Structures are given as C-alpha cells and as structure tokens.
C-alpha cells in the first residue's frame, strides 16, 4: 500500500482535479482540493460585499468565515459557515474573483495552515493546487507538475462544461490564460514547478494514461 504525500500542482484546465481524485482513489489515499478552499474563501468575500482590491477587507471576511471541506476522494462537499457551496464555488462569478482573493498573503497564510492541519494525520494523501509542492508540503514523497498545451486545456474545460460554440471556447481559453497569468506572476507563492517536481505533460494523453503514469510514479517512491 502507498503511504506518503503526493502533490499535484499546475495551471487551470489540465483536468488536474479529476486526475488527482482518481489517483487518490487508486492509491487508497485521502484527497484535498485546495482550489476548492480558495473558492470557498471567495464566496465569503463576495457575500461580505468586499471590494476585490481591498486586501484588508478580504482578509477580514476570510478570517471570519468557517470553511468546511472533507478529505474523502469519493465525495466533494464544501461549506461556508455551515451553508453548502459545493456547486456555487464552480460558478463564473466565483471563478472570476478567486485569483485576486488568493493573491492576498494573509489569506494564503490562513488557508495553508488549514491545509497542513487537514492532511497532518493522513498516512497517504493526494493534495492538489498551485503551491503544494513549493510551499504547503515541501517534503512530499512525490511532486507532480501537471501541464497541457493551452488549446488542449481550453477544449477540456469546454467539454467539461458542455460548451461547443467556438466563440465560447475562445472565451474559456481567454479566462484560463488570464487566471494562469495572474497566478504565475503574483508575489506570494506564484504558480511554478517545485525544483524537485516531475513534470507530466498530458497534452497528447487520455485521462486514464495520465492517472496511470502518476500512480506508477507514486508506487515507485512508496
Ligand atoms: O484549482 P482551481 O481552479 O479550483 O483553483 C482556483 C484558484 O484558486 C486558482 O486560479 C488560484 O488562483 C487559486 N489557488 C491558489 N493556490 C492553490 C489552489 C488554488 O492560489 N493551492
């Protein structure tokens, strides 16, 4: 049996979440979606009516909010102050606002502490996000940086949303580009591969091939 920590970082639209979840299920490991935590924090900020360039207001709203998230790969349920937000965190409104919220250093400190606490007792865990290998779990057993060509990422995200109209696919591509540029250039914990990460480029791979490759890498190190 695998025991240890697998980190899965990378830009949006690589299918990272569904790959991470499947890898966790195959390894019999716990799973944590840290993007869902930043999205839940964003719900709290939006509901507090705070302006997105008001870093102090954002920090206050996130500090006050109780974010609930599980570490079971088979079920996703996210709450803010007890209210279920599992679907709402995937909305366009939240997706638009999440990068500025997650760029606030005090927000990152709060959520990174919560992430470390959530996985502290797990013998085996897969954690996905942007800064897991670089900041959250620097001593992880296996660090994967999952990428894919921008066109492939836009097409996958469109397929996931059931979008076929070329103009809407172009809008999705633009949204991914904007969010990745924001996430990669922020001062605190920018998106980048850890120096000891294995880069997995899934552009020409089926989902099951990506999953199998990562499971094999994890088993080699366990
Ligand atoms: O992975 P997902 O697309 O749900 O992440 C949403 C956003 O949350 C990212 O675009 C990024 O701004 C932020 N995020 C982050 N650090 C993480 C995970 C997500 O800054 N570890």
């Amino acid at each position: 049996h695998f025991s240890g920590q697998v980190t899965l970082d990378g830009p949006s639209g690589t299918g990272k979440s569904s790959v991470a979840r499947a890898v966790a299920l195959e390894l019999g490991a716990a799973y944590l979606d840290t993007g869902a935590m930043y999205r839940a924090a964003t719900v709290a900020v939006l509901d507090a009516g705070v302006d997105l360039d008001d870093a102090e207001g954002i920090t206050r709203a996130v500090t006050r909010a109780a974010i609930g998230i599980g570490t079971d790969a088979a079920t996703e349920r996210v709450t803010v102050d007890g209210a279920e937000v599992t679907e709402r965190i995937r909305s366009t409104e939240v997706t638009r606002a999440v990068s500025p919220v997650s760029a606030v250093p005090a927000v990152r400190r709060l959520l990174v502490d919560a992430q470390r606490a959530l996985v502290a007792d797990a013998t085996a865990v897969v954690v996905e996000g942007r800064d897991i290998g670089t900041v959250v779990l620097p001593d992880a057993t296996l660090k994967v940086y999952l990428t894919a060509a921008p066109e492939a990422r836009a097409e996958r995200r469109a397929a996931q949303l059931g979008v076929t109209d070329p103009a809407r696919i172009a809008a999705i591509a633009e949204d991914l580009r904007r969010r990745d540029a924001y996430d990669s250039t922020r001062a605190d914990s920018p998106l980048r591969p850890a120096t000891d990460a294995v880069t997995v480029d899934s552009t020409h791979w089926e989902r099951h091939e990506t999953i199998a490759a990562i499971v094999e890498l994890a088993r080699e190190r366990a």
Side-chain angles (χ1 to χ4, degrees):
H1 245 286
F2 172 79
S3 70
Q5 298 172 327
V6 176
T7 65
L8 204 53
D9 291 302
S12 328
T14 55
K16 189 160 33 95
S17 290
S18 89
V19 166
R21 215 175 266 280
V23 168
L25 287 171
E26 268 199 50
L27 293 174
Y31 163 75
L32 183 62
D33 176 357
T34 64
M37 297 173 74
Y38 286 97
R39 289 170 180 272
T42 303
V43 166
V45 168
L46 293 171
D47 285 355
V50 176
D51 204 280
L52 290 176
D53 17 83
D54 175 6
E56 281 181 24
I58 288 175
T59 303
R60 255 195 314 277
V62 177
T63 306
R64 281 194 195 129
I67 296 170
I69 187 162
T71 55
D72 179 352
T75 50
E76 174 170 71
R77 186 166 183 273
V78 183
T79 60
V80 174
D81 296 330
E84 172 147 15
V85 295
T86 314
E87 302 215 338
R88 191 173 159 211
I89 60 171
R90 307 292 162 196
S91 67
T92 312
E93 185 200 20
V94 171
T95 301
R96 289 246 162 86
V98 65
S99 283
V101 170
S102 61
V104 176
V107 168
R108 303 203 69 82
R109 278 197 296 276
L110 281 168
L111 295 198
V112 167
D113 284 348
Q115 289 156 14
R116 289 182 181 144
L118 279 162
V119 304
D121 295 331
T123 39
V125 68
V126 177
V127 185
E128 66 134 319
R130 301 291 186 291
D131 62 337
I132 312 305
T134 52
V135 174
V136 181
L137 301 173
D139 300 321
T141 321
L142 170 68
K143 299 179 183 179
V144 174
Y145 190 80
L146 186 61
T147 61
E151 308 76 49
R153 296 195 278 121
E155 271 167 33
R156 280 175 202 174
R157 182 52 60 91
Q160 194 183 35
L161 298 170
V163 169
T164 52
D165 171 30
R168 286 189 62 202
I169 295 177
I172 289 170
E174 173 54 22
D175 172 67
L176 292 180
R177 195 203 56 71
R178 189 178 46 77
R179 198 142 55 94
D180 292 342
Y182 201 120
D183 293 344
S184 311
T185 56
R186 70 181 174 215
D188 188 346
S189 316
L191 169 66
R192 59 175 173 80
T195 49
D196 53 350
V198 180
T199 294
V200 173
D201 183 336
S202 69
T203 306
H204 302 294
W205 282 1
E206 299 287 344
R207 202 181 83 97
H208 70 91
E209 296 176 294
T210 308
I211 294 163
I214 296 172
V215 166
E216 194 179 320
L217 285 168
R219 292 212 165 115
E220 279 168 8
R221 305 214 179 180

